[in-house]
Amino acid sequence: MEKPPPEKSGSFSRNGNGNQMDDNSGPAGAESEAVHVKFDCQQPGECGPNSNLEEHSSDPELSLPQVRKDVDRFLESLSTINDASNNPPDVPSCVESFLEMVQKTITKYDSNAKFGQEQEDDSSFIESLNCISKLIDVLGEFPSNSTTASCFSRASTILHLAMSLLDSEFRLALESCNQGNSADLKSPKPSKQASFSYRQESAYCVIPESKSSEDVEFPAYASEAISKMNRIATAMISSGYESECCMVYNMARRNAFSSELDRLGFENISIEDVQKMQWQSLEGVISMWITVIKHSSSVLFSGERKLCSSIFSEHPSISQTLFCHIALAVAVRFVNFSDAIALTKRSAEKLFKILDMYEALRDLIPFFDDDDACSSECYEELKSEIWAAKGRLGEVAVSIFCDLENSIRRDNGRTPVPSGAVHPLTRFTMNYLKYACEYKDTLEQVFQKHQKMEGCANSNGPVLDTKNGANDDGTPKTSPFSVQLNSIMDLLDENLDMKSKLYRDPALRCIFLMNNGRYILQKIKGSDEIHEMMGDTWCRKRSSDLRQHHKAYTRETWTRLLQCLNHDGLMANGKLSKTILKERFKMFSAMFDEIHRTQSTWVVSDEQLQSELRISVSAVVTPAYRSFVGRFQQYLTSGRQPDKYIKYQPEDIENLIDELFDGNPTSMARRRT
């Protein structure tokens, strides 16, 4: 009948044991404690199965390492016994002396000396524990009623006491970490677009920036402490106390990591609390979440993995498993917040923060793909959690972006924008797309994966290959995101065309289309990302449309005015009719006054377009008027009050044209006064 293995517990107790340490045994150093022994072997120091060791004051003192060698020889001799069921040999007294010396060493460590202060003593102590562990394994093969039973029980008790000591020392060493060198995440830096609205073209929020990993040490253990923990972990695992060792490490480091996240400003917020928070408040929390994830990826996880590898250097598989479980616990905190944000009410202003969060999780995944250990079940679970959370954010991003189409459709107001200015819908849409295209690569990824979301332009179409940029002929390459982008642009064009019909004046309708078309084109050309998506062919088509609106405006406004300067109809009975000539001058002045009065209140906000319009108008009107005045002015100067009919000189016309499209209704009034 074999002896049961020694009892092990994750919660060590030094006082609940049947075998107590001798209260009168004083501290004894692992190296200095000596036992007076007498060998009946032929040579001192030899200890065999039948040897008898007796204390003898006249014999030289033997140290713990020397006695341990005798025990090792005894164990070696036991290995030659083939049948453990036979009566085992007597246990020599060197074993009992050895166990007593180890017990006194434990007493020393437990009273006035600490493990880790004397490395030579510590090494000897650990070697002794390994020897005891081997002794227990060997003696456990013999029947429980044999002569070895008492030694087996005592060795098991002492090993358990030693493990209890190392367990406490391991825990204290793990809790000794000074986190004062961790990163300060209070330094702000501008991020990508944070929020968006009709009234706000560029609203950047502040995202804290962590120090570089070169300036940060985590965890901040001294090299001596790491060496000490390495020796303890190795001893506990070698002695069969792997689960207890891992439990202490896992709990201590998970608590330390959680405390570090709290210190950095990342708090646990429930889904219910997230749902109640205003978006403006959530933006700050999200910014901190993103920063903490990036800091974890670059500093905290790296430091934790390095610490695991250092402490469990002799057991890489244990190191990898421990790190993975700690990382998984941290990742769950990150994922819980991500899921809470994904469940909030969706709105256009949230897109950019959602994409920031998506990128943070996406960039975190490669960290766990660095080595072969990442193929383990634990790592697969860890990556699966992050992938799933990232996917949920991707679905939200696609849904929000696709809802931009619905926002454009819903903008069907019947009140035209005063003065033909750029419509707020145009400003909002183009700025939204401009900032969205700063996330072009990310949006390509999420649309490629989630393009069949309901409400998207290509949701019913085939799965498209993601291709960035434009073709050689300038046309945009097809990708799920570019298809959606073009769909939004087409829908915006349709909406603006509908809104242009709200203007009764055809000329103002053209100004409105030119203003909005020019604004769109400038936004496209001003962003490399969106320009690349739309392509040169689209831009050339847009420029061509602007020229057509320009021609239409000129035709609607200035054609009738120029008819007043036509020479036809000025002759009556073969002679120039002064009456008709006076009427022509008066009609020209009246029509020009009306045009100036009206169109000086119109707005062309783009300075280049405004200049182009004025130059083109002046190029058509001023030469024609100068020619007409130069030819027929002489017929009126001989009469009375020629200024009554010729109200403007050509220079006046040119100056007044330069006042058009200023959005200033008082320009003519000022001139008249």
Side-chain angles (χ1 to χ4, degrees), residues 122-188:
D122 297 341
S123 298
S124 178
F125 177 63
I126 289 176
E127 289 179 18
S128 299
L129 296 183
N130 292 335
C131 183
I132 293 177
S133 181
K134 294 176 184 177
L135 180 66
I136 292 172
D137 291 339
V138 172
L139 296 182
E141 299 293 328
F142 295 99
S144 59
N145 58 353
S146 66
T147 57
T148 62
S150 175
C151 183
F152 174 86
S153 177
R154 178 149 172 73
S156 299
T157 299
I158 292 177
L159 182 64
H160 191 75
L161 290 173
M163 291 301 109
S164 177
L165 168 70
L166 293 182
D167 176 271
S168 298
E169 291 290 340
F170 196 39
R171 181 181 288 105
L172 289 173
L174 285 167
E175 293 173 354
S176 69
C177 178
N178 177 16
Q179 308 293 1
N181 291 333
S182 296
D184 178 9
L185 303 183
K186 303 299 176 66
S187 302

Side-chain angles (χ1 to χ4, degrees), residues 366-421:
F367 178 83
F368 300 104
D369 287 328
D370 286 346
D371 53 48
D372 297 336
C374 295
S375 61
S376 68
E377 182 178 346
C378 176
Y379 276 94
E380 290 305 319
E381 180 183 358
L382 172 59
K383 289 186 285 187
S384 176
E385 287 282 349
I386 301 174
W387 271 103
K390 180 174 72 74
R392 288 186 285 272
L393 289 174
E395 291 176 4
V396 173
V398 170
S399 175
I400 291 175
F401 192 85
C402 290
D403 194 56
L404 184 58
E405 288 189 3
N406 296 327
S407 298
I408 295 174
R409 290 190 182 96
R410 288 192 296 265
D411 196 312
N412 52 8
R414 306 301 299 174
T415 303
V417 176
S419 306

Side-chain angles (χ1 to χ4, degrees), residues 178-463:
N178 177 16
Q179 308 293 1
N181 291 333
S182 296
D184 178 9
L185 303 183
K186 303 299 176 66
S187 302
K189 75 169 183 177
S191 74
K192 290 179 182 177
Q193 181 69 11
S195 60
F196 209 88
S197 69
Y198 272 80
R199 300 170 298 279
Q200 184 173 330
E201 292 192 19
S202 59
Y204 288 85
C205 80
V206 169
I207 281 185
E209 179 182 23
S210 65
K211 296 179 181 179
S212 68
S213 58
E214 297 177 356
D215 300 329
V216 178
E217 183 182 355
F218 177 88
Y221 288 107
S223 58
E224 295 81 4
I226 294 177
S227 178
K228 172 183 175 180
M229 289 187 286
N230 173 262
R231 295 196 301 273
I232 293 175
T234 302
M236 292 184 72
I237 294 172
S238 299
S239 300
Y241 285 75
E242 174 185 329
S243 60
E244 289 81 0
C245 178
C246 292
M247 184 184 301
V248 171
Y249 183 88
N250 187 54
M251 184 177 298
R253 290 311 306 159
R254 284 177 65 168
N255 291 339
F257 213 120
S258 180
S259 298
E260 179 67 6
L261 295 182
D262 293 339
R263 195 193 69 79
L264 294 176
F266 178 60
E267 302 175 357
N268 276 326
I269 304 178
S270 67
I271 293 178
E272 292 75 14
D273 290 338
V274 169
Q275 300 297 322
K276 295 175 184 177
M277 293 177 68
Q278 296 294 321
W279 178 247
Q280 288 75 13
S281 300
L282 275 177
E283 282 186 310
V285 180
I286 291 172
S287 296
M288 180 55 66
W289 180 89
I290 292 169
T291 305
V292 169
I293 281 191
K294 292 180 178 180
H295 182 65
S296 297
S297 177
S298 62
V299 177
L300 302 187
F301 283 137
S302 299
E304 195 65 43
R305 173 182 277 172
K306 182 179 179 181
L307 179 67
C308 275
S309 299
S310 298
I311 293 178
F312 299 92
S313 57
E314 287 80 10
H315 304 277
S317 62
I318 295 177
S319 166
Q320 293 156 0
T321 301
L322 280 171
F323 170 73
C324 182
H325 281 101
I326 293 170
L328 180 60
V330 175
V332 166
R333 286 188 62 177
F334 293 153
V335 167
N336 287 342
F337 180 76
S338 169
D339 288 345
I341 294 298
L343 291 174
T344 60
K345 184 178 179 181
R346 298 173 184 181
S347 61
E349 64 179 357
K350 298 181 180 180
L351 174 65
F352 306 107
K353 279 298 182 189
I354 296 294
L355 291 174
D356 283 336
M357 295 179 70
Y358 179 94
E359 291 178 348
L361 289 179
R362 178 197 64 193
D363 296 341
L364 179 61
I365 293 174
F367 178 83
F368 300 104
D369 287 328
D370 286 346
D371 53 48
D372 297 336
C374 295
S375 61
S376 68
E377 182 178 346
C378 176
Y379 276 94
E380 290 305 319
E381 180 183 358
L382 172 59
K383 289 186 285 187
S384 176
E385 287 282 349
I386 301 174
W387 271 103
K390 180 174 72 74
R392 288 186 285 272
L393 289 174
E395 291 176 4
V396 173
V398 170
S399 175
I400 291 175
F401 192 85
C402 290
D403 194 56
L404 184 58
E405 288 189 3
N406 296 327
S407 298
I408 295 174
R409 290 190 182 96
R410 288 192 296 265
D411 196 312
N412 52 8
R414 306 301 299 174
T415 303
V417 176
S419 306
V422 177
H423 198 280
L425 176 65
T426 305
R427 293 185 183 276
F428 171 79
T429 302
M430 293 312 301
N431 281 291
Y432 195 84
L433 294 179
K434 176 181 178 292
Y435 291 118
C437 284
E438 291 183 6
Y439 297 83
K440 179 173 68 72
D441 294 339
T442 302
L443 283 168
E444 288 284 12
Q445 292 176 13
V446 297
F447 269 90
Q448 183 73 10
K449 187 171 182 62
H450 308 288
Q451 62 179 317
K452 291 188 177 296
M453 295 266 314
E454 183 178 355
C456 294
N458 58 331
S459 59
N460 297 320
V463 177

Side-chain angles (χ1 to χ4, degrees), residues 554-566 584-596 617 620-622 624-625 653 657:
T554 302
R555 183 174 60 253
E556 292 292 341
T557 300
W558 303 103
T559 299
R560 288 182 56 227
L561 180 70
L562 292 176
Q563 288 176 354
C564 298
L565 306 179
N566 198 325
R584 289 283 185 89
F585 273 111
K586 289 175 63 178
M587 186 182 303
F588 176 88
S589 298
M591 290 180 64
F592 186 82
D593 285 346
E594 177 62 23
I595 292 172
H596 183 275
V617 169
V620 171
V621 176
T622 304
Y625 185 69
I653 296 295
I657 289 174

Side-chain angles (χ1 to χ4, degrees), residues 408-656:
I408 295 174
R409 290 190 182 96
R410 288 192 296 265
D411 196 312
N412 52 8
R414 306 301 299 174
T415 303
V417 176
S419 306
V422 177
H423 198 280
L425 176 65
T426 305
R427 293 185 183 276
F428 171 79
T429 302
M430 293 312 301
N431 281 291
Y432 195 84
L433 294 179
K434 176 181 178 292
Y435 291 118
C437 284
E438 291 183 6
Y439 297 83
K440 179 173 68 72
D441 294 339
T442 302
L443 283 168
E444 288 284 12
Q445 292 176 13
V446 297
F447 269 90
Q448 183 73 10
K449 187 171 182 62
H450 308 288
Q451 62 179 317
K452 291 188 177 296
M453 295 266 314
E454 183 178 355
C456 294
N458 58 331
S459 59
N460 297 320
V463 177
L464 302 170
D465 290 333
T466 300
K467 302 175 183 177
N468 294 324
N471 294 309
D472 294 337
D473 60 358
T475 59
K477 289 185 177 179
T478 302
S479 71
F481 176 54
S482 66
V483 169
Q484 186 65 27
L485 185 63
N486 277 275
S487 176
I488 290 173
M489 295 303 302
D490 292 342
L491 194 61
L492 178 61
D493 283 342
E494 294 174 8
N495 189 287
L496 292 174
D497 187 66
M498 177 192 69
K499 294 182 186 305
S500 71
K501 294 179 172 59
L502 299 176
Y503 296 99
R504 295 181 180 180
D505 190 331
L508 183 55
R509 185 180 306 154
C510 295
I511 292 294
F512 173 79
L513 291 174
M514 275 191 286
N515 270 326
N516 286 271
R518 185 57 166 258
Y519 186 88
I520 292 171
L521 186 60
Q522 292 301 99
K523 285 293 180 181
I524 297 292
K525 290 183 176 181
S527 168
D528 292 338
E529 292 83 6
I530 193 170
H531 187 196
E532 183 181 10
M533 296 288 292
M534 301 308 298
D536 291 333
T537 300
W538 187 93
C539 292
R540 286 193 293 269
K541 172 66 168 56
R542 179 67 58 172
S543 297
S544 177
D545 292 342
L546 284 176
R547 288 192 294 271
Q548 295 302 317
H549 295 319
H550 191 155
K551 291 179 181 178
Y553 160 76
T554 302
R555 183 174 60 253
E556 292 292 341
T557 300
W558 303 103
T559 299
R560 288 182 56 227
L561 180 70
L562 292 176
Q563 288 176 354
C564 298
L565 306 179
N566 198 325
H567 295 184
D568 295 340
L570 292 178
M571 306 297 290
N573 300 322
K575 295 174 57 180
L576 179 70
S577 173
K578 290 186 179 182
T579 302
I580 297 176
L581 183 61
K582 291 177 182 179
E583 189 64 28
R584 289 283 185 89
F585 273 111
K586 289 175 63 178
M587 186 182 303
F588 176 88
S589 298
M591 290 180 64
F592 186 82
D593 285 346
E594 177 62 23
I595 292 172
H596 183 275
R597 182 186 66 80
T598 301
Q599 297 194 13
S600 61
T601 66
W602 293 357
V603 174
V604 176
S605 52
D606 183 86
E607 293 183 358
Q608 184 177 349
L609 177 60
Q610 185 188 68
S611 177
E612 290 172 359
L613 283 169
R614 289 172 176 173
I615 290 173
S616 65
V617 169
S618 183
V620 171
V621 176
T622 304
Y625 185 69
R626 179 178 285 109
S627 175
F628 192 83
V629 170
R631 181 167 182 179
F632 298 109
Q633 183 179 18
Q634 57 182 325
Y635 294 101
L636 301 178
T637 53
S638 58
R640 291 181 298 174
Q641 299 179 327
D643 293 343
K644 180 179 178 181
Y645 305 105
I646 306 176
K647 185 176 181 180
Y648 300 113
Q649 292 299 316
E651 293 76 14
D652 298 328
I653 296 295
E654 199 166 11
N655 292 333
L656 290 172

